[in-house]
Amino acid sequence: MLWAGRMGLRTFDILLMLIHASAACEFGPFPYSVTGIVCRMTKPAALLLNQETAQVIQAAFRNAKFPNITGERSMRLLGKVSYGLTNIQVNDLSIEQSEVELKEDDAIHISIKNVTAVFKGTLTYGYTGAWFLQLFHSVDFEIESSIDLQINIKLMCQKDQVTADALDCYLGFHKLMLHLQGDKEPGWLKQLFTDFISFTLKLVLKREVCNEINFLAQVLANFVHDLAANFVQDEDIRLDISLASDPLIKANYLESHHKGLVLYKNYSDVFNDSVFSPSLLTESRMLYFWLSEHILNSLASAAFLDKRLGLTITGEKLQALFEMEDTEVQRKVVQMIFQGTSYNDSVAKVWSLADPQISVQPEGTVVKSFVGVEISIFPPGEEPLMVLYMEKEITVTIQAAYVEKNLILHPLDSRIKFKVFKCTADPSGNDLSIRNFLQTMISVVGIPEVISRIEPALTSLMNSKGLHLFEIRNPEIITRKGYVIVQLDFSFPNHLLLDFLEKRL
């Protein structure tokens, strides 16, 4: 019976291996060429996350479905002895120590020392003795155990996403002690059934616990993927985070490479000229994200198509723009443009006329946009009147930082070129005072005003995805020619995993 059980487990493992092999992903000869996003987690981050391993192991033991264990054996003088263990449950589970090691190009090795657990249930046994004497009994039992657990988790690609294979799992037993009816003293009955069931029980525990650990590892991998997919999606705009190559396991880090193509309605995104190389990232921080310039351009195009690149300014905000300085020139220009109408009866609209073009340089992210500006007034008792219309090309360099859980965008030098200029106060366009004032106003106040609107909007969007739940330490946003690197240290929000496990169970 035991031999057949072991053959069944072996067949099951082989079947799973074949399924994984058949579902493996295929990549071209140059997988980095389509890499838009890279995530690197170094060993310090793996050590930090390993502190949460105890919760997963405890969930695996609690959630494992232990089958009834039955058997029989012929004994001299006693005749045939049969037994059954039913209603097996786990109590008083504790873990003494957990260690993690990254094995080069192989697996994540997790070693868990001294898992102590008490298994409770009911033991039913009977035997047919000499002269056809039959005796049957049912007693409660406890099994005290002390176990070491070794798990080798392999990362692979399945259905274009990272999946975890924890089938390489081994339980080593320091102690497996049976107590009947709460009696802790050794007795012939206890010794008899300990000898009978210990080997079978070890097999059952290994099979059920390891299967549950493997299942939870895959569920957690899917959870992380779904969490990431949700983070890079906002309404109809999202990023394709399917894998561009197989995940890497190195001695000091784990790394995954993703396509990062923008998906938006009928918008078609193609990318096959990535500049990524593993040498671009270091190992001094806990977590790294590498982003291609192409992603930023594609996101800007999708935002433009989704009509998100527009802004309306009224009232005090409009007044602050046009009264940035109290000079005679300023007062004259304002009077000419607004024709005596109050700011509360005026509105300015700013919108992008074409896809913004983004390039990443060492000095920052350079944004080149073709923008339309329209100012209308609503004099009391009169028809609305458009008093100013401009089309201009604006190029601005922006440096980004993440401080106290807020995104900070700092505009550096900017350049403005007027393409179209129409003003009712200057039909000929010869009054340079208006154009010069507007150019100064846009550079000094207008661009910072637009960016000040973008900062909280993006911060709110990231927080809605749960970024504020993490304690991020010393984040750096580094720009290089053609790509951005975000590097940081972090603390894991314990309740995130606990909430997930509670929902899972």
Side-chain angles (χ1 to χ4, degrees):
M1 179 181 66
L2 293 178
W3 177 83
R6 294 177 70 182
M7 285 298 294
L9 285 175
R10 185 182 298 272
T11 303
F12 177 71
D13 288 345
I14 293 174
L15 179 60
L16 282 178
M17 290 174 62
L18 290 174
I19 292 174
H20 280 301
S22 64
C25 308
E26 294 184 2
F27 303 106
F30 307 105
Y32 288 156
S33 65
V34 296
T35 296
I37 303 175
V38 177
C39 176
R40 174 178 288 189
M41 179 184 293
T42 60
K43 192 168 184 179
L47 293 172
L48 175 66
L49 294 179
N50 184 57
Q51 297 174 11
E52 312 302 321
T53 302
Q55 300 177 36
V56 179
I57 300 304
Q58 288 172 348
F61 272 86
R62 289 195 306 268
N63 204 47
K65 306 300 182 184
F66 298 104
N68 296 335
I69 300 174
T70 60
E72 62 180 21
R73 186 174 179 182
S74 296
M75 298 291 292
R76 184 181 299 177
L77 300 179
L78 293 178
K80 183 180 292 185
V81 178
S82 60
Y83 62 89
L85 279 72
T86 58
N87 303 321
I88 302 175
Q89 299 177 358
V90 183
N91 294 84
D92 304 325
L93 182 69
S94 66
I95 295 175
E96 182 177 286
Q97 183 181 359
S98 178
E99 299 175 351
V100 64
E101 179 185 359
L102 305 180
K103 292 186 175 180
E104 184 88 11
D105 297 326
D106 184 20
I108 306 168
H109 177 72
I110 299 177
S111 177
I112 300 172
K113 305 290 187 182
N114 197 17
V115 180
T116 59
V118 175
F119 297 88
K120 294 185 177 182
T122 302
L123 169 65
T124 302
Y125 64 94
Y127 56 88
T128 303
W131 304 288
F132 303 101
L133 177 64
Q134 294 184 345
L135 295 173
F136 296 94
H137 299 277
S138 181
V139 297
D140 293 334
F141 72 86
E142 286 185 359
I143 299 173
E144 292 185 55
S145 68
S146 179
I147 305 169
D148 283 349
L149 185 59
Q150 308 288 335
I151 311 169
N152 289 310
I153 302 177
K154 295 183 180 296
L155 300 180
M156 58 187 66
C157 178
Q158 186 177 4
K159 296 182 179 179
D160 290 329
Q161 71 181 61
V162 177
T163 186
D165 182 348
L167 286 173
D168 187 359
C169 171
Y170 174 75
L171 271 65
F173 293 83
H174 296 298
K175 179 174 70 173
L176 194 68
M177 187 175 296
L178 175 68
H179 303 299
L180 300 178
Q181 292 182 323
D183 182 10
K184 308 298 182 182
E185 297 299 323
W188 72 271
L189 187 61
K190 171 185 164 184
Q191 184 62 46
L192 173 67
F193 283 105
T194 297
D195 291 342
F196 276 6
I197 69 175
S198 61
F199 181 66
T200 305
L201 182 60
K202 289 177 181 179
L203 284 180
V204 170
L205 291 179
K206 177 185 183 301
R207 181 185 65 202
E208 301 303 327
V209 171
C210 287
N211 282 348
E212 185 64 22
I213 288 173
N214 182 58
F215 177 71
L216 280 178
Q218 295 180 19
V219 169
L220 284 171
N222 291 335
F223 169 68
V224 172
H225 177 273
D226 293 343
L227 195 68
N230 178 63
F231 189 83
V232 294
Q233 178 175 358
D234 182 48
E235 297 180 3
D236 290 334
I237 302 175
R238 60 191 178 94
L239 291 180
D240 175 10
I241 60 170
S242 58
L243 289 177
S245 62
D246 286 317
L248 295 181
I249 299 179
K250 297 299 181 182
N252 294 319
Y253 64 85
L254 309 171
E255 190 170 279
S256 60
H257 314 101
H258 307 266
K259 295 176 181 177
L261 298 177
V262 171
L263 304 174
Y264 172 75
K265 295 182 179 178
N266 296 326
Y267 176 79
S268 180
D269 194 13
V270 179
F271 181 52
N272 55 12
D273 193 24
S274 176
V275 298
F276 175 74
S277 168
S279 62
L280 297 177
L281 302 179
T282 65
E283 301 169 17
S284 60
R285 305 298 297 274
M286 294 173 67
L287 192 61
Y288 294 82
F289 294 100
W290 183 94
L291 304 173
S292 168
E293 172 186 282
H294 176 85
I295 288 178
L296 302 180
N297 260 312
S298 297
L299 286 173
S301 295
F304 170 74
L305 293 173
D306 204 42
K307 303 185 185 305
R308 300 191 184 194
L309 304 183
L311 181 64
T312 299
I313 305 173
T314 59
E316 293 181 357
K317 290 290 186 180
L318 188 59
Q319 181 177 2
L321 287 177
F322 280 88
E323 295 186 0
M324 61 177 183
E325 55 183 17
D326 187 14
T327 64
E328 183 64 30
V329 173
Q330 174 261 321
R331 289 191 291 271
K332 178 182 176 182
V333 169
V334 169
Q335 178 63 33
M336 291 174 64
I337 293 176
F338 290 91
Q339 301 178 18
T341 304
S342 72
Y343 293 111
N344 290 330
D345 294 322
S346 307
V347 60
K349 295 181 180 179
V350 183
W351 70 97
S352 184
L353 296 167
D355 299 18
Q357 301 299 307
I358 297 176
S359 64
V360 182
Q361 304 295 334
E363 58 270 20
T365 301
V366 182
V367 181
K368 184 177 181 180
S369 54
F370 189 36
V371 177
V373 177
E374 178 184 289
I375 296 178
S376 298
I377 60 174
F378 302 85
E382 299 181 24
E383 292 294 322
L385 177 64
M386 184 179 71
V387 294
L388 179 67
Y389 177 79
M390 298 182 292
E391 292 180 2
K392 56 189 184 295
E393 183 181 271
I394 300 177
T395 303
V396 59
T397 301
I398 300 173
Q399 290 183 343
Y402 189 75
V403 181
E404 297 181 351
K405 299 188 177 183
N406 288 282
L407 180 66
I408 305 298
L409 301 176
H410 179 60
L412 301 179
D413 62 286
S414 59
R415 298 182 299 275
I416 301 171
K417 294 181 180 179
F418 287 95
K419 300 294 184 178
V420 176
F421 184 86
K422 298 178 181 179
C423 181
T424 56
D426 180 26
S428 65
N430 294 327
D431 191 341
L432 294 181
S433 64
I434 296 178
R435 187 174 303 198
N436 291 337
F437 170 78
L438 291 174
Q439 184 155 349
T440 303
M441 181 201 72
I442 293 168
S443 300
V444 176
V445 185
I447 293 175
E449 170 64 21
V450 172
I451 289 179
S452 71
R453 302 285 189 97
I454 296 175
E455 285 176 340
L458 291 178
T459 298
S460 177
L461 175 61
M462 292 188 295
N463 287 343
S464 71
K465 306 297 183 179
L467 184 63
H468 64 293
L469 300 176
F470 292 80
E471 290 300 325
I472 297 175
R473 299 190 298 275
N474 302 320
E476 294 181 85
I477 302 175
I478 302 170
T479 56
R480 295 290 183 264
K481 185 173 177 56
Y483 61 89
V484 178
I485 295 175
V486 181
Q487 56 188 38
L488 54 94
D489 299 320
F490 70 97
S491 296
F492 190 79
N494 296 336
H495 62 86
L496 188 65
L497 185 57
L498 283 172
D499 291 348
F500 165 71
L501 289 175
E502 288 177 1
K503 292 178 182 179
R504 158 67 180 82
L505 299 176

